[in-house]
Amino acid sequence: MKKIKVFDSAEGYNLAAREYDKKKAYLDSFEKKQLLPLLGNLTGRKILDVGAGTGRLAIELSKLGAEVTALDVSEEMLKELKRKNSARGGSALGGKNIVTIVGDAESLPFRAETFDIVVAAFLIVHLKDPRSFFDEAYRVLKSGGIFLVTNINQKDPPKIMTKEGEIVIESFYHRPEKVREILESLAFGIEKKVFVKENDVWVNQIILARK
């Protein structure tokens, strides 16, 4: 049996970018429409979407009136986001309230207290220890800003189809209580906790915290 190669996030998602949107319905199923309603009125709000990928959330946030900065470690994923955004009337450089930046979640290239909201869905599963990212999210949030993060229940990384065949992208399992503990240790106040379940088994932990 051929061994499936494991890639880091940048390399893996660069390979998977063209095929990634075929999984949109599957990815949405982990949230069951419970994520965006937690954020309230987004008109004019400055939002950083970390691990934005091809724009699954960024485009929806923009439609709701937010000014979105979409950051991802994969340049190819962001190219797909820009292509889709351009198709809906944005410019190739962004537009429609979306700016894209290639960057590292653990070293965010922004000044302190820049954003009203930071969101991160399907991101921390790719971080061995989310503490550095959580600390960075706290830094770039304005006082009273909102941090919305999800933690999927994934102990084994799924196989992902690319033009070069199936690959696996390095991922890590995080216990829900540990995620909450790290957030609280960094002075976040946790305001809402949601567990999305299937057959009484949690598949996604959604936390809304405030700086």
Side-chain angles (χ1 to χ4, degrees):
M1 184 178 293
K2 185 178 179 181
K3 188 175 181 179
I4 296 177
K5 190 171 181 181
V6 179
F7 289 85
D8 65 23
S9 293
E11 291 181 297
Y13 282 115
N14 278 340
L15 289 172
R18 290 290 182 91
E19 304 291 324
Y20 191 76
D21 281 345
K22 293 178 180 178
K23 298 178 60 179
K24 183 179 184 302
Y26 171 71
L27 298 174
D28 288 345
S29 73
F30 281 82
E31 293 156 5
K32 299 190 186 299
K33 299 183 179 180
Q34 296 190 58
L35 192 148
L36 293 180
L38 294 173
L39 295 173
N41 183 358
L42 298 180
T43 302
R45 305 277 268 171
K46 294 184 182 298
I47 299 183
L48 173 63
D49 181 4
V50 186
T54 62
R56 187 179 67 89
L57 287 182
I59 290 173
E60 293 305 312
L61 293 166
S62 175
K63 288 178 181 178
L64 293 170
E67 298 177 17
V68 182
T69 299
L71 180 140
D72 201 278
V73 73
S74 166
E75 183 176 4
E76 295 301 317
M77 292 285 273
L78 290 179
K79 283 181 181 178
E80 291 297 304
L81 188 162
K82 286 188 282 188
R83 180 186 59 76
K84 292 190 295 184
N85 193 46
S86 179
R88 60 183 274 264
S91 73
L93 297 176
K96 283 290 183 181
N97 302 325
I98 300 178
V99 174
T100 60
I101 295 178
V102 178
D104 183 354
E106 295 175 296
S107 183
L108 296 173
F110 309 105
R111 293 180 178 178
E113 301 194 359
T114 297
F115 298 98
D116 300 302
I117 299 170
V118 174
V119 299
F122 291 95
L123 171 71
I124 67 169
V125 70
H126 295 303
L127 303 178
K128 187 173 183 179
D129 182 351
R131 183 179 299 272
S132 292
F133 165 55
F134 290 171
D135 196 31
E136 279 289 88
Y138 191 93
R139 181 182 66 81
V140 302
L141 275 171
K142 296 176 183 177
S143 180
I146 290 172
F147 181 36
L148 187 65
V149 61
T150 76
N151 173 37
I152 63 171
N153 186 356
Q154 179 179 286
K155 294 186 177 180
D156 297 306
K159 299 179 183 67
I160 297 175
M161 181 54 66
T162 74
K163 60 183 179 181
E164 297 183 11
E166 286 187 331
I167 67 167
V168 165
I169 298 176
E170 187 176 36
S171 64
F172 307 91
Y173 173 76
H174 301 295
R175 292 182 292 111
E177 61 272 22
K178 185 64 176 178
V179 172
R180 188 176 66 248
E181 177 186 306
I182 294 171
L183 287 169
E184 290 175 334
S185 75
L186 295 172
F188 276 108
I190 294 177
E191 296 192 351
K192 295 179 182 178
K193 297 174 287 184
V194 176
F195 278 99
V196 179
K197 296 184 177 181
E198 287 186 2
N199 300 321
D200 294 325
V201 176
W202 76 276
V203 296
N204 197 9
Q205 175 191 28
I206 304 174
I207 294 179
L208 186 147
R210 192 177 295 274
K211 179 174 177 177

